[in-house]
Amino acid sequence: MASLLQFFPILHLPFIFICCTALKPILQTYIVYMGSSLNGNGGEDLSYLALLSSLIPREESERISLFHSYNHAFKGFSAILTEKEASTLSGYEEVVSVFPDPVLKLHTTRSWDFLEAVDNKFRSSRLWDENKSSEIIIGFIDTGIWPESPSFSDEGIGKIPSKWKGVCMEGSNFKKSNCNRKLIGARFYNKNGQASTRDNIGHGTHVASIAVGVPVANASYYGLARGTARGGLASARIASYKACSMDGCSGSVILKAIDDAIKDGVDIISISIGMSAILQSDFLSDPIAIGAFHAEQRGIMVVCSAGNDGPDPYTIVNTAPWIFTVAASTIDRNFLTTIVLGNNQSYEGTAINFSPLTRGKAYPLAFGEKVASRFTPASDARNCIPGSIDTKKAAGKIIVCVNEDPNVSKRIKKLVVEDAKAKGVIIIDNQGQFLPFDSGTYPSAVIGETTGSRILNYIKSTKSPTATILPTKVVPRFKPAPVVAPFSSRGPGGLTENILKPDIMAPGVAILAAIVPRIIADYSAPGNKTSLFSIKSGTSMACPHVTGAAAFIKSKHPHWTSSIIKSALMTTASVSNNKGKLLTNSTDYYASPHEAGVGEITHLRALDPGLVFETTVQDYLYFLCYFGYKPKTLRSITNTNFSCPKSSTEKLISNINYPTISIASLKKNERIRKIKRVVTNVGSSNATYTCSVDAPPGLKVLVLPKMLHFSAGLSRAAFKTFFDGKEATKGYNYGVIKWLDGLHVVRVVFAVNVE
Ligand SMILES: *[C@@H]1O[C@H](CO)[C@@H](O)[C@H](O)[C@H]1NC(C)=O
Ligand SMILES: *[C@@H]1O[C@H](CO)[C@@H](O)[C@H](O)[C@H]1NC(C)=O
Ligand SMILES: *[C@@H]1O[C@H](CO)[C@@H](O)[C@H](O)[C@H]1NC(C)=O
Ligand SMILES: *[C@@H]1O[C@H](CO)[C@@H](O)[C@H](O)[C@H]1NC(C)=O
Ligand SMILES: *[C@@H]1O[C@H](CO)[C@@H](O)[C@H](O)[C@H]1NC(C)=O
Ligand SMILES: *[C@@H]1O[C@H](CO)[C@@H](O)[C@H](O)[C@H]1NC(C)=O
Ligand SMILES: *[C@@H]1O[C@H](CO)[C@@H](O)[C@H](O)[C@H]1NC(C)=O
Ligand SMILES: *[C@@H]1O[C@H](CO)[C@@H](O)[C@H](O)[C@H]1NC(C)=O
């Protein structure tokens, strides 16, 4: 394949164009997606090049070159084009979509014990290590992997599954011998000499160890959160595809990595990456949605993070129905730090700090605006914005900052205050309490507004206020948990509201897992030592919990398809917390399905879901028809003469056989809306289920039939749900349809927007 390297200088050319000829068009990388190659014969680079040479003027023939080409599960390539060429290409018969190569963001263990504690009766089926030779292979598309981590040891793991067709690419500081029977595959895509699959960031290492790391006893973060770190299926194999660097993740590389993972023979693909919610225009210009579609078409589950742009609605990404979309929750472990004031009052803040301060000595305490630099607005200094704090006034003190300006992160505030030679920092931020901030040995604490105003009152009340900040202590069995993390991106999905998203919630706050042990520039680690584990938060951390759970289910039910596994996890999810109350969000309201999906995963219950919703590739194609794609597009995507149903309207999306129900718009004066579903019995063959509906007052919900009978010869049954919104409250109405047989509770969550 031709290398792009020689063309990188092109990226600087627009500057020259501006100076000399304003007419030269701007060049950039485009992804050209050409649909399915299910019946294709691979090796289509020549035809892609032919396509390009029909388009690119002879004098620019150096551009007739492929950046990446996709030849396995789907067709297409990426190349450097002008906008006009891109637009011409998009009109070609064989081309589905052409879009600029986007840059995607990373969605930066006690957690598994916590998930298993929800239901003691299921504990007996917790047999992680009974089979050390699982055939299940997980592909992680991320920042690569640190192969030396004890979480990826292959001790006791059997030989590499024979179905594996991938490779362990050698690269800078990464040898074939860095792969083993646990880490069986490694690929990277950037073509410069320094490249390899080695993780320099830590994200990919963390994510892989959360999902399927082997148990590592006595793991901790400098002594905090000590315990056994492990994944959801320790016997599963890891294939690492490095698609991201410090600068983000290129869409064309993600697409290439998905194509490779499918060819290599992975069972599940885990992607803790996403587009920016405001940039997603449709499913066919989103590389993750395109790649995941073709993976699903071949029976490979794709699990993705929902994004970290919450708590506003419509911030969720990775919302295609063939993607398993994961929101983030807290777990029952909290990291608290005690602030002791000069008046002997003490308050708990949230933090991960290894403060050297003790109760024995207090330091002067000051509000940021009282230690402002000259000519600095008080609002800047209050927020501890760079340049706003006067070292002469702040040195030796503990400084209180507020968090009104989202542009200045806690990390920056800490650096600003530290730079001013202050002794420590207290940050007032209500939502920050749900996201422990790691300040290393620098004393820090994050407190809510109530505690904040008490501390500010104390400062005002005395001439010489003082305080100290003690090192973090871990609070186990913290209640309530789980709680929806404030940063977790919220539904409804911006592209369609007729599919309920997110799907499910999993732990994503302060998760201990493997990391790249290294010294970080502006971070003071205890004793200047590195750690093999670290504590991270994000939907990035929630996603691999679902990946690990799905791998676990698949290990017990090898013949279950990805949609059966997804449905099993979704209809059995937990909706209560460890206080026995319904799940809440971080401001103490009941969590809606647009925040938490169907609830928190309980993978042990999902082993025996009773009934499941099978969503087929046909359903997904109908979805694309209903969404509004043209028949020609659908034919290319499938590489068949598939035709859309005659009536293809957006509201029919609600009818695809998904494990939840969402209606984007139910007019008060419209006739009753009918939604169809088919369930498959995966429990014992003779079963009778009866229906029970929890609906909000005013929304009439009728399910027919009220009973479903299954027998040896009859494992499928259809039911219809009728929604009548005449007397319902306007806006989203949430509820649940339950199918009960005395053993199972099959929960079907619905969201109906009454207008
Ligand atoms: C363990 O895995 C191997 C390979 O997939 C399989 O043949 C064997 O039956 C499994 N054993 C158990 C107890 O599940
Ligand atoms: C755990 O590790 C610490 C040091 O990191 C060590 O002092 C301790 O003995 C270890 N405990 C066990 C049970 O291995
Ligand atoms: C929690 O839910 C309530 C009610 O839906 C909402 O008003 C509030 O904004 C939510 N809080 C967060 C942090 O999302
Ligand atoms: C705070 O408590 C310490 C010991 O507990 C005591 O010596 C000191 O006088 C107290 N200070 C105030 C202001 O109450
Ligand atoms: C944050 O930065 C953006 C862009 O630089 C700016 O438009 C916005 O006003 C800033 N927000 C605040 C609260 O200063
Ligand atoms: C840690 O390293 C920095 C820079 O190398 C040094 O200034 C500092 O004294 C060291 N701290 C400890 C506790 O060793
Ligand atoms: C496409 O349609 C033709 C004629 O209707 C049929 O013979 C052929 O089998 C179809 N091809 C596929 C791939 O379905
Ligand atoms: C299911 O029910 C039928 C009819 O009642 C009966 O003949 C059959 O043995 C039952 N099968 C099982 C597995 O219980």
Side-chain angles (χ1 to χ4, degrees):
M1 200 182 306
S3 158
L4 177 76
L5 269 186
Q6 71 233 58
F7 302 128
F8 266 137
I10 288 171
L11 302 178
H12 300 291
L13 286 182
F15 169 72
I16 302 170
F17 296 157
I18 293 165
C19 82
C20 311
T21 77
L23 293 172
K24 277 267 178 174
I26 293 171
L27 293 166
Q28 61 173 318
T29 310
Y30 282 87
I31 294 176
V32 180
Y33 168 54
M34 299 167 67
S36 179
S37 64
L38 266 190
N39 317 322
N41 38 16
E44 286 156 282
D45 284 13
L46 279 178
S47 66
Y48 300 155
L49 288 168
L51 204 61
L52 281 180
S53 48
S54 73
L55 199 71
I56 293 174
R58 191 177 296 256
E59 55 285 7
E60 290 175 49
S61 64
E62 76 279 359
R63 278 201 292 117
I64 303 175
S65 162
L66 307 173
F67 185 12
H68 290 292
S69 71
Y70 314 117
N71 323 348
H72 307 303
F74 48 89
K75 293 184 290 191
F77 59 90
S78 53
I80 294 180
L81 302 171
T82 64
E83 198 182 343
K84 187 155 174 288
E85 288 161 357
S87 143
T88 308
L89 256 182
S90 64
Y92 282 25
E93 182 63 25
E94 61 270 49
V95 171
V96 175
S97 57
V98 180
F99 52 97
D101 189 1
V103 176
L104 287 78
K105 294 184 291 189
L106 292 164
H107 288 150
T108 295
T109 306
R110 163 104 193 112
S111 50
W112 286 105
D113 294 317
F114 171 62
L115 290 174
E116 281 155 24
V118 290
D119 238 327
N120 270 329
K121 74 172 174 163
F122 292 100
R123 288 226 114 175
S124 57
S125 50
R126 181 187 163 244
L127 299 161
W128 301 110
D129 290 315
E130 70 170 18
N131 197 342
K132 289 205 162 173
S133 303
S134 166
E135 297 277 302
I136 295 170
I137 304 168
I138 319 286
F140 293 93
I141 298 179
D142 212 292
T143 60
I145 197 154
W146 190 67
E148 290 84 3
S149 170
S151 294
F152 311 132
S153 155
D154 66 353
E155 206 185 311
I157 294 184
K159 64 180 201 319
I160 293 174
S162 55
K163 68 179 178 188
W164 175 244
K165 296 196 280 291
V167 295
C168 180
M169 279 169 66
E170 295 216 322
S172 159
N173 200 9
F174 199 105
K175 298 238 152 41
K176 279 219 158 47
S177 59
N178 282 125
C179 289
N180 59 20
R181 295 185 306 274
K182 175 74 186 174
L183 171 61
I184 63 173
R187 286 185 188 268
F188 63 96
Y189 299 93
N190 105 3
K191 289 161 184 161
N192 73 49
Q194 296 304 307
S196 83
T197 316
R198 182 166 290 276
D199 185 0
N200 300 314
I201 297 169
H203 191 270
T205 301
H206 206 262
V207 159
S209 73
I210 290 171
V212 292
V214 302
V216 181
N218 204 15
S220 76
Y221 184 55
Y222 300 108
L224 282 185
R226 192 179 292 285
T228 298
R230 65 181 169 93
L233 182 68
S235 59
R237 318 305 176 106
I238 295 171
S240 175
Y241 299 84
K242 183 175 179 176
C244 306
S245 67
M246 285 292 188
D247 305 327
C249 320
S250 128
S252 61
V253 176
I254 292 172
L255 210 43
K256 181 72 183 162
I258 297 176
D259 196 30
D260 281 341
I262 295 171
K263 181 191 65 166
D264 290 348
V266 306
D267 297 287
I268 301 175
I269 296 175
S270 191
I271 307 181
S272 289
I273 300 170
M275 301 270 284
S276 164
I278 43 173
L279 294 183
Q280 50 180 355
S281 54
D282 73 303
F283 296 103
L284 298 184
S285 56
D286 175 347
I288 296 180
I290 292 170
F293 176 84
H294 292 289
E296 176 65 34
Q297 201 177 21
R298 306 203 173 208
I300 299 165
M301 175 185 278
V302 180
V303 187
C304 293
S305 44
N308 299 339
D309 296 325
D312 291 339
Y314 299 102
T315 44
I316 193 164
V317 295
N318 296 326
T319 56
W322 51 85
I323 290 175
F324 204 169
T325 316
V326 187
S329 74
T330 62
I331 61 172
D332 64 343
R333 175 161 69 191
N334 210 354
F335 296 86
L336 296 183
T337 180
T338 306
I339 302 166
V340 187
L341 302 182
N343 62 5
N344 274 359
Q345 281 278 1
S346 66
Y347 297 101
E348 299 295 338
T350 304
I352 295 172
N353 78 47
F354 305 92
S355 165
L357 308 186
T358 62
R359 264 177 207 279
K361 186 165 180 344
Y363 300 84
L365 179 66
F367 192 21
E369 61 184 33
K370 296 288 188 237
V371 292
S373 309
R374 285 183 74 191
F375 311 121
T376 298
S379 64
D380 281 10
R382 197 159 62 222
N383 275 287
C384 301
I385 284 170
S388 68
I389 303 288
D390 184 342
T391 301
K392 277 205 229 53
K393 297 180 194 159
K397 297 191 173 126
I398 289 174
I399 307 299
V400 180
C401 312
V402 296
N403 201 39
E404 295 155 351
D405 181 350
N407 291 343
V408 184
S409 68
K410 296 192 183 65
R411 191 181 132 261
I412 301 284
K413 290 184 207 297
K414 174 228 153 194
L415 290 174
V416 165
V417 168
E418 191 175 17
D419 208 43
K421 307 224 161 12
K423 265 285 166 197
V425 63
I426 296 173
I427 299 170
I428 303 175
D429 174 16
N430 267 341
Q431 296 301 301
Q433 298 173 87
F434 291 86
L435 187 61
F437 166 61
D438 180 357
S439 61
T441 57
Y442 194 74
S444 79
V446 177
I447 53 178
E449 273 158 18
T450 314
T451 306
S453 61
R454 287 191 185 129
I455 291 181
L456 292 178
N457 282 339
Y458 161 72
I459 292 178
K460 278 188 220 135
S461 74
T462 167
K463 254 214 185 72
S464 46
T466 61
T468 184
I469 301 173
L470 304 181
T472 295
K473 56 187 191 233
V474 173
V475 182
R477 290 175 293 280
F478 185 84
K479 289 180 183 179
V483 167
V484 185
F487 59 76
S488 188
S489 289
R490 304 311 208 249
L495 297 183
T496 176
E497 294 185 33
N498 286 310
I499 294 286
L500 182 56
K501 291 281 173 172
D503 290 311
I504 203 160
M505 187 166 78
V509 174
I511 305 299
L512 180 81
I515 192 74
V516 181
R518 61 185 179 125
I519 299 289
I520 298 163
D522 56 33
Y523 179 81
S524 54
N528 275 352
K529 291 210 185 84
T530 60
S531 172
L532 289 173
F533 292 86
S534 87
I535 295 168
K536 287 180 178 285
S537 304
T539 52
S540 278
M541 282 67 236
C543 164
H545 278 96
V546 172
T547 304
F552 171 68
I553 306 294
K554 194 163 178 65
S555 74
K556 302 289 173 195
H557 296 291
H559 301 299
W560 281 11
T561 62
S562 74
S563 84
I564 293 181
I565 294 172
K566 176 173 174 179
S567 173
L569 283 163
M570 285 175 67
T571 61
T572 58
S574 164
V575 285
S576 55
N577 61 30
N578 58 2
K579 287 170 101 171
K581 298 272 166 49
L582 288 176
L583 294 175
T584 56
N585 69 15
S586 58
T587 45
D588 240 5
Y589 288 88
Y590 289 129
S592 84
H594 284 130
E595 302 181 287
V598 295
E600 184 88 346
I601 51 163
T602 59
H603 52 293
L604 299 179
R605 262 189 242 174
L607 287 173
D608 182 19
L611 306 179
V612 294
F613 295 84
E614 293 183 82
T615 320
T616 61
V617 172
Q618 175 107 344
D619 281 308
Y620 299 133
L621 292 176
Y622 282 171
F623 167 84
L624 292 170
C625 295
Y626 302 153
F627 188 75
Y629 292 113
K630 298 207 168 61
K632 177 211 141 197
T633 304
L634 269 289
R635 278 197 300 276
S636 298
I637 293 175
T638 57
N639 203 10
T640 64
N641 35 18
F642 172 85
S643 55
C644 285
K646 279 217 180 57
S647 131
S648 283
T649 63
E650 219 224 313
K651 67 182 191 185
L652 287 173
I653 289 175
S654 308
N655 262 330
I656 78 162
N657 205 38
Y658 209 69
T660 51
I661 295 171
S662 184
I663 298 177
S665 163
L666 180 68
K667 300 269 186 309
K668 278 194 171 224
N669 58 2
E670 97 176 45
R671 289 178 49 199
I672 292 165
R673 184 80 65 91
K674 179 175 81 181
I675 302 293
K676 291 187 268 187
R677 287 291 185 272
V678 173
V679 280
T680 306
N681 179 21
V682 294
S684 55
S685 60
N686 281 354
T688 297
Y689 282 82
T690 55
C691 186
S692 142
V693 176
D694 294 342
L699 182 69
K700 290 209 185 76
V701 182
L702 175 68
V703 178
L704 287 176
K706 290 190 177 337
M707 271 192 172
L708 299 175
H709 300 284
F710 300 92
S711 61
L714 188 71
S715 64
R716 282 200 172 82
F719 67 89
K720 296 188 184 89
T721 308
F722 301 88
F723 292 95
D724 176 354
K726 258 186 230 68
E727 282 150 35
T729 318
K730 281 197 176 178
Y732 266 103
N733 285 244
Y734 307 104
V736 56
I737 298 164
K738 289 185 213 154
W739 288 104
L740 311 147
D741 70 341
L743 285 172
H744 306 99
V745 181
V746 183
R747 300 181 71 256
V748 187
V749 172
F750 61 80
V752 179
N753 188 21
V754 176
E755 292 186 319

